[in-house]
C-alpha cells in the first residue's frame, strides 16, 4: 500500500469551500482505500488529508482523472499554500486490507 498525509492551507475564509471540493467524487478513484479530509482545530485555515492507496501507481493515475483535474483546478484559487507532506507505507487498519 501507499500512503500520504498532507497539510493544505486555505486562504482566509475559504476552508469550508475547499473542504467541499476535496470531498467531491472521492468514491470514484480506483485504488483509493481511504481518503480522509480533516479540519485542523488549532488553525482556522489548515486542512489535513490522509490517503491510503493500493499502490503509488493508482495514486498517480488518479491525478489524471477528469473529475480530479477539475477539482484541482477549482481548488487552486482557494489554496494559500501547503504545509507538511509525508509519504507512508500503510500496513493495515480499520477497513484496510492486512
Amino acid at each position: 500500500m501507499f500512503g500520504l498525509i498532507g497539510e493544505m492551507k486555505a486562504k482566509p475564509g475559504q476552508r469550508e469551500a475547499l473542504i467541499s471540493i476535496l470531498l467531491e467524487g472521492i468514491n470514484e478513484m480506483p485504488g483509493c482505500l481511504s481518503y480522509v479530509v480533516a479540519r485542523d482545530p488549532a488553525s482556522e485555515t489548515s486542512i489535513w488529508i490522509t490517503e491510503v492507496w493500493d499502490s503509488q501507481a493508482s495514486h498517480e493515475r488518479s491525478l489524471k482523472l477528469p473529475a480530479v483535474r477539475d477539482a484541482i483546478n477549482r481548488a487552486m484559487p482557494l489554496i494559500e499554500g501547503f504545509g507538511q507532506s509525508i509519504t507512508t507505507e500503510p500496513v493495515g487498519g480499520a477497513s484496510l486490507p492486512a
Side-chain angles (χ1 to χ4, degrees), residues 11 15 30 38 49 53-54 58 65 73 82 98:
K11 289 184 177 176
R15 182 165 73 172
I49 302 155
W53 295 84
D54 62 4
S58 288
L65 294 170
N73 288 335
F82 297 90

Side-chain angles (χ1 to χ4, degrees), residues 29 38-39 50 55-57 61-62 65 67 96:
M29 297 187 297
R39 289 180 198 95
T50 305
S55 68
Q56 185 172 356
R61 280 191 298 273
S62 77
L65 294 170
L96 295 178

Side-chain angles (χ1 to χ4, degrees), residues 15-35:
R15 182 165 73 172
E16 294 308 311
L18 182 54
I19 287 171
S20 252
I21 292 170
L22 293 172
L23 290 173
E24 291 175 8
I26 58 175
N27 296 322
E28 301 168 15
M29 297 187 297
C32 184
L33 304 175
S34 178
Y35 187 90

Side-chain angles (χ1 to χ4, degrees), residues 20-95:
S20 252
I21 292 170
L22 293 172
L23 290 173
E24 291 175 8
I26 58 175
N27 296 322
E28 301 168 15
M29 297 187 297
C32 184
L33 304 175
S34 178
Y35 187 90
V36 177
V37 177
R39 289 180 198 95
D40 186 331
S43 166
E44 292 185 12
T45 61
S46 289
I47 299 165
W48 288 91
I49 302 155
T50 305
E51 305 174 51
V52 178
W53 295 84
D54 62 4
S55 68
Q56 185 172 356
S58 288
H59 174 260
E60 290 169 3
R61 280 191 298 273
S62 77
L63 297 173
K64 297 176 184 169
L65 294 170
V68 172
R69 297 295 321 146
D70 177 62
I72 290 169
N73 288 335
R74 290 184 294 119
M76 288 306 290
L78 307 179
I79 299 170
E80 185 73 32
F82 297 90
Q84 294 180 327
S85 179
I86 301 165
T87 299
T88 64
E89 293 181 6
V91 294
S95 304

